[in-house]
Amino acid sequence: MDAMHPRLLVTRFGDCFRFYDSVLPKLIGARLTGGNEQGPYASWDVGEEGAVRLFDRAAMAAAAGTTELPEHRPAQDAVMLVSRVSDVDAAHALCLANGAQDVAGPTARPEWGPTCRTAHVRDPEGNLLELQSY
């Protein structure tokens, strides 16, 4: 049984699949365990535990009966995926090379911890990711 894991509901399934399939193995050692870029579902695990899932937003809206609601509303981020990495600069470069949008480049964050270093990017769907080391 998996512990709790994120399932990202996306409209750009193919783009998000290619992004996560390129970066998750190198960032956290995840392997693709189901699905492909055609969707509507894909999963990556670390060991026997679920790490990240993608699901087509329209398919989830149909299942949840919310197809008449707007897809997005302007707001600050409510959720962020965080990955602890050994090299923030290399992880940041890897994400950018695979289609991520730069939000905040690698920087020291001593106010978060004496050795904390982070970078922030957005995946092709706009989800916020933090790459951190400490």
Side-chain angles (χ1 to χ4, degrees):
M1 174 180 284
D2 287 337
M4 189 177 296
H5 58 265
R7 179 175 294 167
L8 301 175
L9 306 177
V10 299
T11 56
R12 297 175 56 193
F13 192 94
D15 292 337
C16 287
F17 177 92
R18 288 185 294 277
F19 173 76
Y20 284 106
D21 200 44
S22 295
V23 303
L24 286 175
K26 295 172 187 162
L27 288 179
I28 63 171
R31 72 186 193 301
L32 179 67
T33 56
N36 59 46
E37 71 180 273
Q38 282 74 45
Y41 179 82
S43 60
W44 291 264
D45 291 356
V46 173
E48 297 299 316
E49 292 293 321
V52 174
R53 306 294 192 250
L54 293 181
F55 196 64
D56 179 76
R57 184 187 302 255
M60 187 69 239
T66 59
T67 56
E68 299 303 315
L69 297 176
E71 287 185 13
H72 299 284
R73 57 188 160 137
Q76 293 179 350
D77 294 288
V79 175
M80 175 175 65
L81 298 177
V82 179
S83 180
R84 189 172 181 183
V85 298
S86 59
D87 184 337
V88 171
D89 295 273
H92 181 254
L94 173 68
C95 289
L96 295 181
N98 284 282
Q101 175 190 3
D102 191 27
V103 173
T107 189
R109 302 268 184 202
E111 67 278 16
W112 295 1
T115 61
C116 185
R117 214 170 133 63
T118 68
H120 294 87
V121 298
R122 292 193 184 279
D123 73 10
E125 186 73 19
N127 296 301
L128 185 61
L129 284 80
E130 178 177 282
L131 309 164
Q132 64 170 233
S133 67
Y134 51 92

